[in-house]
Amino acid sequence: MNFGFGFIVLRHVNSEITNKYWNQCVKLIRIYYPNNKIIIIDDNSDYKYIKSDFDYRNISIIKSEYPKRGELLPYIYYLRNKWFENAVILHDSTFINSYIPFEDIRQPVIPLWHFVYDKENMRNLMRITSQIPNNYNLINKLKMNVNVLGMSMPITGCFGVQSYIKHDCLQKIHKLFNIERLIPCITCRTDRCSLERVMAAMFHTVNPNLYRTKSLFGNIMTHYKSFEYKYNEYEKDFRNKIKRNNKIIKVWTGR
Protein backbone atom coordinates (compact mmCIF):
# COMPACT_ATOMS: atom_id res chain seq x y z
CA MET A 1 0.00 0.00 0.00
CA ASN A 2 1.46 3.39 -1.03
CA PHE A 3 -0.34 5.94 1.22
CA GLY A 4 0.37 8.66 -1.35
CA PHE A 5 3.92 9.47 -0.33
CA GLY A 6 7.39 8.59 -1.51
CA PHE A 7 11.02 9.25 -0.66
CA ILE A 8 13.51 11.61 -2.28
CA VAL A 9 17.11 10.86 -1.28
CA LEU A 10 19.88 13.36 -2.00
CA ARG A 11 23.07 11.46 -2.87
CA HIS A 12 26.71 12.45 -3.17
CA VAL A 13 29.30 9.64 -3.44
CA ASN A 14 33.02 10.41 -3.46
CA SER A 15 34.52 7.28 -1.87
CA GLU A 16 33.85 3.62 -1.10
CA ILE A 17 32.52 4.47 2.35
CA THR A 18 30.13 7.17 1.11
CA ASN A 19 28.80 4.64 -1.41
CA LYS A 20 27.60 2.67 1.62
CA TYR A 21 25.41 5.57 2.74
CA TRP A 22 22.83 5.58 -0.01
CA ASN A 23 22.73 1.79 -0.11
CA GLN A 24 22.00 1.61 3.60
CA CYS A 25 19.44 4.42 3.35
CA VAL A 26 17.57 2.68 0.51
CA LYS A 27 17.77 -0.79 2.08
CA LEU A 28 16.18 0.47 5.30
CA ILE A 29 13.44 2.35 3.44
CA ARG A 30 12.67 -0.88 1.59
CA ILE A 31 12.41 -2.83 4.86
CA TYR A 32 9.77 -0.52 6.32
CA TYR A 33 8.19 0.78 3.12
CA PRO A 34 8.45 -2.05 0.57
CA ASN A 35 6.17 -0.45 -2.04
CA ASN A 36 6.75 3.28 -1.81
CA LYS A 37 8.63 4.87 -4.66
CA ILE A 38 12.19 6.13 -4.06
CA ILE A 39 13.83 8.88 -6.10
CA ILE A 40 17.61 9.32 -5.85
CA ILE A 41 18.83 12.80 -6.79
CA ASP A 42 22.55 12.47 -7.46
CA ASP A 43 24.58 15.61 -6.89
CA ASN A 44 27.95 15.49 -8.60
CA SER A 45 29.02 12.00 -7.49
CA ASP A 46 32.20 10.31 -8.65
CA TYR A 47 30.64 7.37 -10.52
CA LYS A 48 33.72 5.21 -10.24
CA TYR A 49 32.68 4.62 -6.61
CA ILE A 50 28.98 4.02 -7.15
CA LYS A 51 27.89 0.44 -6.78
CA SER A 52 24.45 -0.86 -5.91
CA ASP A 53 24.27 -3.63 -3.30
CA PHE A 54 21.02 -4.93 -4.78
CA ASP A 55 18.76 -4.54 -7.77
CA TYR A 56 16.38 -2.22 -5.94
CA ARG A 57 12.72 -2.18 -6.91
CA ASN A 58 10.64 0.92 -7.69
CA ILE A 59 13.59 3.32 -7.61
CA SER A 60 14.63 6.02 -10.07
CA ILE A 61 17.97 7.82 -10.20
CA ILE A 62 18.31 11.35 -11.54
CA LYS A 63 21.73 12.77 -12.24
CA SER A 64 21.35 16.46 -11.53
CA GLU A 65 22.39 18.99 -14.16
CA TYR A 66 23.09 21.49 -11.37
CA PRO A 67 26.24 20.27 -9.58
CA LYS A 68 26.91 21.30 -5.97
CA ARG A 69 23.41 22.67 -5.38
CA GLY A 70 22.97 20.01 -2.69
CA GLU A 71 19.91 20.35 -0.50
CA LEU A 72 18.06 22.56 -2.98
CA LEU A 73 17.92 19.82 -5.61
CA PRO A 74 15.17 17.56 -4.18
CA TYR A 75 12.79 20.55 -4.14
CA ILE A 76 13.64 21.63 -7.69
CA TYR A 77 13.12 18.17 -9.15
CA TYR A 78 10.02 17.42 -7.06
CA LEU A 79 8.54 20.72 -8.19
CA ARG A 80 9.03 19.66 -11.81
CA ASN A 81 7.95 16.03 -11.30
CA LYS A 82 4.91 15.08 -9.24
CA TRP A 83 6.07 11.55 -8.53
CA PHE A 84 3.72 11.30 -5.53
CA GLU A 85 1.37 13.55 -3.57
CA ASN A 86 3.74 13.95 -0.60
CA ALA A 87 7.50 13.56 -0.22
CA VAL A 88 9.89 12.59 2.56
CA ILE A 89 13.14 14.36 1.67
CA LEU A 90 16.28 12.77 3.14
CA HIS A 91 20.04 12.91 2.92
CA ASP A 92 21.72 9.65 1.87
CA SER A 93 23.32 9.66 5.34
CA THR A 94 19.94 9.54 7.12
CA PHE A 95 18.68 6.09 8.09
CA ILE A 96 15.18 5.04 9.13
CA ASN A 97 15.22 2.61 12.07
CA SER A 98 11.53 1.70 12.29
CA TYR A 99 8.22 2.34 10.61
CA ILE A 100 7.19 6.00 10.80
CA PRO A 101 3.52 6.72 9.94
CA PHE A 102 4.17 9.55 7.49
CA GLU A 103 0.66 8.98 6.13
CA ASP A 104 -0.74 10.46 9.37
CA ILE A 105 0.99 13.83 8.94
CA ARG A 106 -1.47 16.63 8.28
CA GLN A 107 1.02 19.51 8.10
CA PRO A 108 1.63 20.85 4.57
CA VAL A 109 5.36 20.95 5.32
CA ILE A 110 7.42 20.15 8.40
CA PRO A 111 11.20 19.72 8.89
CA LEU A 112 12.50 16.35 10.01
CA TRP A 113 14.77 18.12 12.50
CA HIS A 114 15.07 21.78 13.47
CA PHE A 115 17.70 23.99 15.10
CA VAL A 116 17.58 27.28 16.96
CA TYR A 117 17.77 30.07 14.42
CA ASP A 118 20.97 32.08 14.85
CA LYS A 119 21.07 34.76 12.09
CA GLU A 120 24.27 33.11 10.85
CA ASN A 121 25.96 34.90 7.93
CA MET A 122 23.24 37.51 7.53
CA ARG A 123 24.99 39.06 4.55
CA ASN A 124 24.73 35.78 2.65
CA LEU A 125 21.11 35.33 3.69
CA MET A 126 20.29 38.76 2.30
CA ARG A 127 22.24 38.07 -0.90
CA ILE A 128 20.22 34.91 -1.52
CA THR A 129 16.82 36.35 -0.62
CA SER A 130 17.47 39.40 -2.81
CA GLN A 131 17.22 37.12 -5.86
CA ILE A 132 13.67 35.95 -5.23
CA PRO A 133 10.31 37.77 -5.42
CA ASN A 134 8.12 38.60 -2.41
CA ASN A 135 11.17 38.56 -0.18
CA TYR A 136 10.04 41.24 2.29
CA ASN A 137 8.29 38.66 4.45
CA LEU A 138 11.33 36.37 4.40
CA ILE A 139 13.72 39.20 5.25
CA ASN A 140 11.61 40.09 8.29
CA LYS A 141 11.71 36.49 9.45
CA LEU A 142 15.45 36.16 8.88
CA LYS A 143 16.11 39.42 10.72
CA MET A 144 13.81 38.14 13.49
CA ASN A 145 11.41 41.07 12.98
CA VAL A 146 8.45 38.72 13.40
CA ASN A 147 5.39 39.43 15.50
CA VAL A 148 2.65 36.82 15.89
CA LEU A 149 -0.36 37.74 18.03
CA GLY A 150 1.64 40.46 19.74
CA MET A 151 4.59 38.22 20.60
CA SER A 152 8.05 37.95 19.08
CA MET A 153 8.18 34.57 17.34
CA PRO A 154 11.55 33.64 15.82
CA ILE A 155 11.65 30.94 13.18
CA THR A 156 13.63 27.74 13.60
CA GLY A 157 16.06 26.42 10.99
CA CYS A 158 15.40 23.30 8.92
CA PHE A 159 18.38 21.01 9.45
CA GLY A 160 19.76 19.83 6.14
CA VAL A 161 16.57 21.12 4.49
CA GLN A 162 15.18 17.63 5.18
CA SER A 163 11.41 17.63 5.44
CA TYR A 164 8.04 16.08 4.83
CA ILE A 165 6.29 18.23 2.23
CA LYS A 166 3.13 18.04 0.16
CA HIS A 167 3.51 18.70 -3.55
CA ASP A 168 0.78 21.34 -3.55
CA CYS A 169 2.58 23.11 -0.69
CA LEU A 170 5.79 23.15 -2.70
CA GLN A 171 3.87 24.61 -5.64
CA LYS A 172 2.53 27.31 -3.32
CA ILE A 173 6.06 28.11 -2.12
CA HIS A 174 7.25 28.31 -5.71
CA LYS A 175 4.36 30.57 -6.70
CA LEU A 176 5.27 32.94 -3.89
CA PHE A 177 9.07 32.83 -4.10
CA ASN A 178 10.09 31.19 -7.40
CA ILE A 179 12.59 28.78 -5.83
CA GLU A 180 14.18 28.08 -9.21
CA ARG A 181 15.73 31.54 -8.85
CA LEU A 182 17.82 30.02 -6.06
CA ILE A 183 19.69 27.68 -8.42
CA PRO A 184 22.47 30.14 -9.35
CA CYS A 185 22.68 31.37 -5.73
CA ILE A 186 23.57 28.04 -4.08
CA THR A 187 27.04 26.93 -5.14
CA CYS A 188 29.00 25.95 -1.99
CA ARG A 189 28.68 24.64 1.56
CA THR A 190 28.26 28.16 3.00
CA ASP A 191 25.33 28.77 0.65
CA ARG A 192 23.76 25.44 1.57
CA CYS A 193 23.94 26.39 5.27
CA SER A 194 22.16 29.63 4.42
CA LEU A 195 19.57 27.62 2.50
CA GLU A 196 18.63 25.82 5.75
CA ARG A 197 17.51 29.20 7.04
CA VAL A 198 16.00 30.67 3.86
CA MET A 199 13.89 27.58 3.15
CA ALA A 200 12.84 27.47 6.81
CA ALA A 201 11.54 31.04 6.48
CA MET A 202 9.56 29.94 3.42
CA PHE A 203 8.16 26.94 5.32
CA HIS A 204 7.06 29.19 8.22
CA THR A 205 5.34 31.51 5.74
CA VAL A 206 3.12 28.79 4.30
CA ASN A 207 2.74 26.86 7.56
CA PRO A 208 2.55 29.11 10.67
CA ASN A 209 1.98 25.98 12.79
CA LEU A 210 5.78 25.54 12.67
CA TYR A 211 6.09 28.25 15.29
CA ARG A 212 4.56 25.68 17.68
CA THR A 213 5.41 22.27 16.21
CA LYS A 214 8.93 22.87 14.97
CA SER A 215 9.85 19.48 13.48
CA LEU A 216 9.01 15.78 13.48
CA PHE A 217 12.04 14.59 15.43
CA GLY A 218 13.11 17.58 17.51
CA ASN A 219 16.19 19.74 17.81
CA ILE A 220 19.12 18.21 15.93
CA MET A 221 21.40 19.18 18.81
CA THR A 222 19.66 16.53 20.94
CA HIS A 223 20.53 13.81 18.40
CA TYR A 224 22.96 11.15 19.67
CA LYS A 225 26.52 12.54 19.28
CA SER A 226 25.19 15.36 17.17
CA PHE A 227 27.59 16.29 14.33
CA GLU A 228 30.08 13.68 15.60
CA TYR A 229 28.36 10.36 14.93
CA LYS A 230 30.34 8.79 12.08
CA TYR A 231 29.32 6.01 9.73
CA ASN A 232 31.86 3.51 11.06
CA GLU A 233 30.41 3.85 14.56
CA TYR A 234 26.87 3.63 13.20
CA GLU A 235 27.79 0.49 11.23
CA LYS A 236 29.12 -1.14 14.39
CA ASP A 237 25.98 -0.18 16.31
CA PHE A 238 23.80 -1.49 13.47
CA ARG A 239 25.56 -4.86 13.48
CA ASN A 240 25.06 -5.04 17.24
CA LYS A 241 21.40 -4.03 16.87
CA ILE A 242 21.91 -0.86 18.90
CA LYS A 243 19.48 1.85 17.83
CA ARG A 244 20.82 5.18 19.06
CA ASN A 245 17.65 6.89 17.93
CA ASN A 246 14.28 5.17 18.07
CA LYS A 247 13.00 6.04 14.61
CA ILE A 248 15.55 7.80 12.45
CA ILE A 249 19.26 8.56 12.69
CA LYS A 250 21.78 10.78 10.97
CA VAL A 251 25.52 10.28 10.50
CA TRP A 252 27.96 13.04 9.72
CA THR A 253 30.78 13.20 7.24
CA GLY A 254 32.93 15.79 5.51
CA ARG A 255 31.94 15.92 1.82
Side-chain angles (χ1 to χ4, degrees):
M1 194 170 180
N2 189 288
F3 300 119
F5 69 90
F7 296 86
I8 304 176
V9 178
L10 177 64
R11 180 179 77 177
H12 175 68
V13 175
N14 59 9
S15 65
E16 289 183 3
I17 190 167
T18 54
N19 184 63
K20 293 181 179 182
Y21 296 3
W22 76 275
N23 276 285
Q24 180 70 355
C25 179
V26 169
K27 281 185 280 190
L28 288 170
I29 291 172
R30 273 291 160 261
I31 288 173
Y32 300 110
Y33 306 91
N35 300 314
N36 294 64
K37 188 172 183 62
I38 301 171
I39 306 294
I40 304 287
I41 308 294
D42 187 86
D43 181 20
N44 200 38
S45 287
D46 187 338
Y47 269 71
K48 73 181 180 185
Y49 293 112
I50 291 180
K51 181 180 178 182
S52 176
D53 290 348
F54 297 99
D55 183 15
Y56 300 115
R57 294 182 299 105
N58 201 15
I59 183 172
S60 298
I61 298 175
I62 295 175
K63 187 175 181 181
S64 171
E65 70 247 58
Y66 309 113
K68 301 182 181 179
R69 267 58 178 194
E71 289 83 350
L72 177 62
L73 295 174
Y75 297 91
I76 296 299
Y77 285 100
Y78 185 39
L79 178 67
R80 297 174 181 176
N81 303 273
K82 190 178 180 181
W83 295 298
F84 19 69
E85 292 292 334
N86 312 301
V88 181
I89 295 178
L90 302 169
H91 293 180
D92 57 359
S93 53
T94 299
F95 310 124
I96 292 174
N97 277 332
S98 62
Y99 183 81
I100 300 166
F102 292 110
E103 68 274 12
D104 291 341
I105 296 173
R106 296 295 175 259
Q107 305 262 21
V109 60
I110 186 168
L112 299 190
W113 288 282
H114 71 275
F115 60 88
V116 175
Y117 178 63
D118 49 12
K119 298 173 77 171
E120 179 182 288
N121 202 339
M122 183 58 68
R123 179 176 293 182
N124 203 41
L125 293 175
M126 294 302 101
R127 177 189 66 84
I128 292 170
T129 53
S130 71
Q131 302 303 307
I132 57 180
N134 301 312
N135 57 21
Y136 178 77
N137 181 282
L138 299 183
I139 289 170
N140 275 339
K141 287 178 168 59
L142 294 168
K143 288 185 173 180
M144 300 178 74
N145 299 329
V146 180
N147 190 286
V148 179
L149 299 178
M151 297 182 293
S152 177
M153 297 287 285
I155 65 170
T156 48
C158 179
F159 172 70
V161 204
Q162 297 176 98
S163 73
Y164 175 92
I165 187 167
K166 297 180 180 295
H167 191 267
D168 59 1
C169 178
L170 182 58
Q171 288 180 309
K172 183 177 181 179
I173 290 170
H174 182 59
K175 185 176 181 180
L176 284 170
F177 303 115
N178 192 354
I179 63 170
E180 292 196 334
R181 295 273 293 271
L182 293 173
I183 294 171
C185 303
I186 308 299
T187 61
C188 63
R189 185 178 181 86
T190 298
D191 296 340
R192 295 195 298 271
C193 289
S194 293
L195 187 69
E196 293 178 309
R197 294 150 175 84
V198 173
M199 291 293 287
M202 294 181 186
F203 294 167
H204 280 73
T205 300
V206 298
N207 184 17
N209 288 327
L210 295 180
Y211 288 106
R212 295 189 299 272
T213 305
K214 298 174 175 62
S215 64
L216 290 175
F217 304 111
N219 191 327
I220 192 61
M221 298 307 295
T222 66
H223 188 287
Y224 174 73
K225 296 187 70 172
S226 182
F227 296 90
E228 296 182 359
Y229 193 45
K230 306 299 185 185
Y231 186 80
N232 288 340
E233 185 177 352
Y234 162 80
E235 198 171 40
K236 181 179 178 181
D237 287 343
F238 185 79
R239 286 197 303 267
N240 293 325
K241 299 183 179 181
I242 299 172
K243 294 185 178 181
R244 297 295 184 182
N245 199 335
N246 287 335
K247 294 183 177 180
I248 191 167
I249 198 157
K250 176 80 172 69
V251 299
W252 280 267
T253 185
R255 285 186 285 178

